[in-house]
Amino acid sequence: QQQVKQSPQSLIVQKGGISIINCAYENTAFDYFPWYQQFPGKGPALLIAIRPDVSEKKEGRFTISFNKSAKQFSLHIMDSQPGDSATYFCAAGGGSSRLTFGEGTQLTVNP
Amino acid sequence: NAGVTQTPKFRILKIGQSMTLQCTQDMNHNYMYWYRQDPGMGLKLIYYSVGAGITDKGEVPNGYNVSRSTTEDFPLRLELAAPSQTSVYFCASSYSRGPLTSGELFFGEGSRLTVL
């Protein structure tokens, strides 16, 4: 199976709060897990990515947590800002598998 | 740097018409992709190319065709447009794909197509 399931579909957070988006995958051969950020009217852009040899990767306010045994990974946005309001896509791929995207999460950060 | 450029940005088609979405990249990337984005459905791969002269089907290729005559250009053709093809189309490119590289995709800004 190539599916990547993402939740929630939409998320509203207050400024300064923590945003958490979750993804689950089925293909144990996946070894590359990126998150893409998309602003309205723009194409997605790579935000942060992780490989399964580590359980966590942090870049500024953005952190990916990875649980290989559960086949789950999540994006945490600390101190969320109105400028973080966007659609976020998780994805999984690697090896002989093409990148498969989750359904997307529309994040709104209220001021 | 221009990156990935898509034209047109918006288009309205009548059922049964045909058109070509243009995509060009100036990063000398080998890999190019066409995705469609529908609300709540994520990004679905239509076709991709690993280099000039080589193309392959993705998840949702029906109703579309592609060609890759140069490294830079990867046009997507819609034949006999149908309302189900109403979507936002994204072209993307990457230097390579596989476990040894980041595999980062660089996307264009999208082409919004409506079929009436």
Side-chain angles (χ1 to χ4, degrees), chain A residues 59-79:
Chain A
E59 290 185 2
R61 296 184 293 108
F62 300 90
T63 300
I64 299 179
S65 297
F66 184 79
N67 185 330
K68 188 174 182 178
S69 61
K71 292 187 287 185
Q72 295 176 348
F73 59 110
S74 59
L75 176 69
H76 295 235
I77 306 175
M78 310 300 288
D79 187 26

Side-chain angles (χ1 to χ4, degrees), chain A residues 10-76:
Chain A
S10 63
L11 180 62
I12 299 175
V13 174
Q14 292 298 119
K15 178 182 176 181
I18 302 173
S19 304
I20 302 175
I21 304 170
N22 300 298
C23 283
Y25 63 98
E26 299 176 359
N27 189 340
T28 56
F30 286 155
D31 66 356
Y32 175 61
F33 304 90
W35 285 89
Y36 280 79
Q37 181 187 53
Q38 183 184 29
F39 293 108
K42 301 294 185 182
L46 181 65
L47 179 64
I48 187 172
I50 196 169
R51 296 200 182 271
D53 53 341
V54 296
S55 61
E56 186 175 281
K57 182 175 182 179
K58 183 177 181 179
E59 290 185 2
R61 296 184 293 108
F62 300 90
T63 300
I64 299 179
S65 297
F66 184 79
N67 185 330
K68 188 174 182 178
S69 61
K71 292 187 287 185
Q72 295 176 348
F73 59 110
S74 59
L75 176 69
H76 295 235

